[in-house]
Amino acid sequence: MNINELAVGKNALIERYRSNTVFSERLMELGLTPGTRITLVRRAPFSGPIEIAYGHLRLALRPAEGDGIYILPV
Amino acid sequence: MPHATRIAFVGTPNCGKTTIFNTLTGLRQKVGNFPGVTVAPAVGRVTGTNTEAIDLPGIYSFAPKSPDEQLTVGVLSGMEQTIPRPDGIAFIIDGTNIEKGLFLFSYFAELGLPSIVVVTMIDEIKACGSTLDDIELEHILGVPVIPVVGNKGSGIEDVRLKLTDIKEFAVPNKLAEPEADIPARYTSVRNIAANVVASPVRDRRTEFLDKIFLHPIAGPTVFLAVMALFFQSIFTWATPLMDGIDSMFSLAQDGINTVVPDGIARSFLAKGIVAGVGSVLVFLPQILILNVFIVILEDCGYLARAAFLVDRAMGLFGLQGRSFIPLLGSFACAIPGIMSARIIPSEKDRMITMLIAPLMTCSARLPVYALLISAFIAPIYIGGFFSLQAMVLAGLYIAATLVGLLIALLLKKTMFRGAQTPFLIEFPPYRKPSLKNIAVSAWGRSREFLINAGTIILTLSVILWVLAEFPRANIPAEMQPLQAAQTQLEYSFAGRIGHTLQPAFAPIGFDWKMTVGVIGSFAAREVFVAVMGQLYAADVSENDVTLREALGANISLASALAVLAFYVFALQCISTIAVLRRETNSWKWPAFAFVYTFVLAYSASFAAYHITLFLGG
């Protein structure tokens, strides 16, 4: 299951990234390493960006990239 | 004399580094000018010390993903040829994000440079019900750790004390195996973080504010209100200040007219120097207000939310939310705007953003807009509140922005084809911006404008004065002063150049004076006002008529609208062309930008002129 399939307000653990890209490396540098617990905070309307929170951090990314982030719901 | 100790200020983006840097260096900092380097980090003397601080762009790791990160990593590893390797490191950690800071520090520990660690946002850690054990952190890292509250300046004096002597610095302990990958490093620094910070509670203030500012309906409403305030403020609030500066320069001119005897010297001082510089300096209040506004939006954390809100819309034009920040900055000045496009990791998105940045209405256009709008648009209020002048101004901004976005889409579909590039933006917690930081940053940005006004504009103003005063016409002694001045202008170099080139601009309704103004503006847009000041001050020198009234009496509405349309699009700025050349490392892109904007400008003027004539204007 990928991060786009998570409902707003629900928690999950990062499982792995579909492929090893510059983008997935940046997400890991920001602390989104496998095993990190995240919350899907909100989605912007009209398939806009999604906001995720983990620890004390929040960041936004586009659903297109979210497809490549696999999660385990908790 | 021994060379100053050079200390690099480094940290993750948005860790409070620049606030600390601004507090320590005060107004003494300057933008570093290192030849051959695309990025210009700020450098400054730390007040009260012999230490030179370099504010390097924030990074997340030693694997750079954009040109500004590349610079920081290059300088630190001693690979950057034009900036010497620093003697020591002041490493800034955002106290609310200890893990991210320590993760980056794990790479720094391997550099072996003497370091200190400054932990910021201590007040926020406490507000979240947490604490920092700085003694334990110092023990683990092996370097001095100084907690500070950036906004209030407490702890800053301890940092300054450490910076006076590099012997106070220490080489850090290694935090991970040199070959450790990202997850391994995070595991290691999370253990450290757990030992020094009591687990924080949620930041309820930020959560609450985001519920409003990112709400599907309230969010865009607030965004539009902020943008409306943005435009209303730069046109309305600046007026009293502008009137004050205006009357100061009038007084200076009167003074010169009474003290200096009639002749070339008086004309040079009053028309060449005072009129030229004065008519540009009068717009400093608008530029200051605009810069203060942008700095506040950046500092309080709203700009990142705005990027989230506009990302979907920007996506329609092939751009992304991150492009919003350079483009918004370009409303102040395309130069910092184009430079801040470095925050866009994708090369294609960055190129498109830079190429359309000159179409965002920079503050240098404001003098031209303000002059022509106040001369030709009635100062009436629609519905008792909305100023017609402000609405016309907003219309010019909107037209330029829309065309810019359409050009972006066109570029994305043609020259810069490719897949959508990742968009990733961090949301900092909402913070009350520091007054000192607003003052230092806004002043630093406005100073660029002043330096332009002081050097380029003054030089051009003098050149234009020479062109307008020489060669001297043979004027009979009995001729009226007003007529004499006009005869002189027609006879001068400026008059001849204007007359020669005017046919090229005739289809868009420019007379020879406007042609001189537009040609002069290709150095910098503000020059137009200076030229009009000179050309028409010459016309009305014996009457107490202000420039805008003179223009209103001498130029047709159709021609005035054509000039406005021309300035909306034309890339008339040598500095912007130079920055585009530097940032793209090629003359091809500035040439391309210049040509496409000229074609747009000429077409828009043609349309404005002929439509107004057709409608009977």
Side-chain angles (χ1 to χ4, degrees):
Chain A
M1 146 175 210
N2 73 47
I3 208 166
N4 291 320
E5 296 168 79
L6 194 63
V8 169
K10 296 289 181 207
N11 300 317
L13 300 178
I14 300 280
E15 186 194 10
R16 64 186 175 87
Y17 294 94
R18 184 166 59 202
S19 50
N20 201 355
T21 59
V22 169
F23 188 71
S24 68
E25 187 178 286
R26 173 51 43 92
L27 289 177
M28 289 209 287
E29 287 167 4
L30 285 163
L32 285 173
T33 50
T36 308
R37 185 192 171 93
I38 60 132
T39 309
L40 187 80
V41 182
R42 60 172 58 81
R43 296 176 205 277
F46 309 111
S47 310
I50 57 172
E51 182 192 340
I52 56 172
Y54 57 104
H56 237 199
L57 283 166
R58 288 144 217 288
L59 50 84
L61 45 90
R62 281 180 172 168
E65 277 81 52
D67 280 343
I69 307 173
Y70 295 124
I71 50 155
L72 298 169
V74 289
Chain B
M1 205 181 117
H3 84 98
T5 314
R6 300 170 63 94
I7 304 295
F9 278 51
V10 287
T12 55
N14 209 6
C15 64
K17 182 169 57 72
T18 299
T19 307
I20 301 267
F21 177 84
N22 283 348
T23 312
L24 284 168
T25 57
L27 291 165
R28 257 160 256 266
Q29 58 162 297
K30 53 186 191 295
V31 172
N33 187 13
F34 301 99
V37 180
T38 54
V39 193
V43 291
R45 181 66 51 119
V46 177
T47 323
T49 72
N50 190 30
T51 299
E52 196 173 72
I54 315 169
D55 187 16
L56 291 175
I59 52 175
Y60 294 104
S61 74
F62 275 21
K65 292 175 182 56
S66 65
D68 57 338
E69 297 176 16
Q70 181 78 54
L71 174 88
T72 303
V73 174
V75 170
L76 293 170
S77 53
M79 301 289 280
E80 188 65 54
Q81 307 202 329
T82 44
I83 306 177
R85 201 176 189 216
D87 301 306
I89 303 285
F91 191 88
I92 322 292
I93 293 182
D94 173 353
T96 61
N97 271 315
I98 289 271
E99 288 176 9
K100 200 171 63 174
L102 286 178
F103 169 75
L104 178 61
F105 191 73
S106 76
Y107 292 95
F108 275 81
E110 286 149 32
L111 283 177
L113 284 171
S115 307
I116 56 170
V117 166
V118 179
V119 184
T120 58
M121 327 278 179
I122 290 295
D123 49 340
E124 285 182 35
I125 305 181
K126 289 192 179 136
C128 292
S130 180
T131 50
L132 171 78
D133 185 349
D134 52 306
I135 312 281
E136 176 65 10
L137 187 61
E138 194 164 295
H139 179 73
I140 297 169
L141 301 181
V143 301
V145 171
I146 307 138
V148 301
V149 179
N151 274 354
K152 307 202 173 67
S154 84
I156 283 288
E157 286 317 306
D158 298 332
V159 179
R160 197 192 306 279
L161 208 64
K162 293 275 187 242
L163 288 172
T164 52
D165 191 354
I166 192 148
K167 290 193 194 71
E168 299 280 335
F169 286 45
V171 176
N173 299 330
K174 305 249 190 307
L175 302 184
E177 298 296 322
E179 299 303 316
D181 63 0
I182 299 170
R185 278 173 197 268
Y186 256 107
T187 308
S188 152
V189 301
R190 278 178 178 149
N191 285 332
I192 300 173
N195 279 327
V196 296
V197 213
S199 82
V201 296
R202 290 157 62 183
D203 182 353
R204 293 192 186 274
R205 184 176 63 171
T206 294
E207 284 175 17
F208 173 75
L209 288 173
D210 271 344
K211 278 206 178 99
I212 301 167
F213 291 150
L214 298 179
H215 185 273
I217 293 155
T221 311
V222 171
F223 176 77
L224 289 178
V226 169
M227 291 298 113
L229 188 68
F230 181 83
F231 292 116
Q232 185 86 8
S233 67
I234 55 181
F235 206 67
T236 314
W237 299 350
T239 309
L241 291 166
M242 291 167 70
D243 289 347
I245 294 177
D246 207 19
S247 38
M248 261 167 51
F249 276 94
S250 297
L251 283 178
Q253 267 179 325
D254 291 348
I256 288 166
N257 285 339
T258 40
V259 175
V260 184
D262 196 10
I264 284 292
R266 183 204 275 189
S267 160
F268 176 70
L269 287 174
K271 289 187 207 161
I273 308 263
V274 175
V277 173
S279 50
V280 172
L281 275 189
V282 73
F283 297 98
L284 185 64
Q286 282 181 332
I287 284 151
L288 264 176
I289 289 179
L290 194 118
N291 281 319
V292 164
F293 213 93
I294 290 179
V295 173
I296 291 175
L297 288 185
E298 262 174 28
D299 278 12
C300 71
Y302 186 72
L303 213 48
R305 272 75 181 184
F308 177 85
L309 289 172
V310 299
D311 179 69
R312 188 71 197 94
M314 299 288 270
L316 295 175
F317 299 100
L319 294 166
Q320 53 149 305
R322 270 180 189 258
S323 302
F324 172 74
I325 294 165
L327 293 180
L328 185 67
S330 298
F331 281 98
C333 175
I335 296 160
I338 287 170
M339 286 168 61
S340 65
R342 280 187 227 117
I343 64 164
I344 304 170
S346 144
E347 190 57 32
K348 284 177 180 170
D349 284 7
R350 180 168 167 252
M351 286 298 302
I352 296 173
T353 307
M354 289 194 293
L355 288 173
I356 66 160
L359 285 180
M360 302 302 114
T361 304
C362 71
S363 46
R365 284 178 174 100
L366 267 177
V368 181
Y369 290 180
L371 177 68
L372 293 174
I373 287 177
S374 52
F376 290 93
I377 309 294
I380 52 172
Y381 284 80
I382 292 169
F385 180 72
F386 295 105
S387 146
L388 180 64
Q389 292 183 339
M391 281 165 68
V392 170
L393 182 77
L396 295 176
Y397 273 80
I398 292 166
T401 311
L402 276 180
V403 170
L405 291 173
L406 289 173
I407 298 277
L409 186 61
L410 196 66
L411 291 174
K412 185 82 179 177
K413 294 266 181 238
T414 55
M415 294 160 83
F416 298 98
R417 290 176 81 92
Q420 287 278 353
T421 38
F423 164 71
L424 178 64
I425 201 151
E426 274 185 87
F427 287 165
Y430 289 101
R431 295 190 170 118
K432 211 197 283 171
S434 124
L435 271 181
K436 176 149 189 173
N437 197 45
I438 295 170
V440 172
S441 299
W443 170 243
R445 292 171 195 199
S446 306
R447 195 173 47 185
E448 297 296 311
F449 175 82
L450 269 190
I451 290 168
N452 273 342
T455 54
I456 301 177
I457 310 287
L458 181 60
T459 312
L460 288 170
S461 198
V462 169
I463 291 172
L464 288 166
W465 176 82
V466 170
L467 289 177
E469 293 292 320
F470 297 97
R472 300 300 293 170
N474 207 350
I475 292 164
E478 67 276 9
M479 196 186 255
Q480 292 296 314
L482 192 67
Q483 264 179 311
Q486 251 168 347
T487 312
Q488 171 57 39
L489 249 178
E490 296 254 13
Y491 190 74
S492 69
F493 292 120
R496 293 170 200 194
I497 295 170
H499 281 298
T500 311
L501 291 178
Q502 194 266 338
F505 288 95
I508 57 174
F510 290 9
D511 66 9
W512 68 272
K513 287 181 184 177
M514 291 152 77
T515 307
V516 174
V518 168
I519 301 291
S521 298
F522 275 101
R525 297 178 181 93
E526 312 88 297
V527 171
F528 181 81
V529 178
V531 175
M532 289 291 119
Q534 269 185 13
L535 293 178
Y536 285 96
D539 265 339
V540 296
S541 56
E542 295 302 309
N543 301 323
D544 187 26
V545 185
T546 65
L547 180 56
R548 56 181 74 157
E549 285 162 358
L551 291 182
N554 284 287
I555 298 179
S556 74
L557 177 64
S559 293
L561 294 180
V563 174
L564 275 178
F566 192 85
Y567 277 82
V568 168
F569 298 112
L571 169 45
Q572 299 157 294
C573 179
I574 285 175
S575 316
T576 304
I577 290 174
V579 169
L580 271 175
R581 153 81 186 81
R582 212 171 59 167
E583 295 286 309
T584 61
N585 215 12
S586 146
W587 279 110
K588 181 181 156 196
W589 296 115
F592 170 74
F594 182 83
V595 170
Y596 97 77
T597 53
F598 186 85
V599 170
L600 273 179
Y602 199 93
S603 318
S605 294
F606 187 86
Y609 182 63
H610 289 280
I611 291 171
T612 315
L613 282 186
F614 179 76
L615 296 176

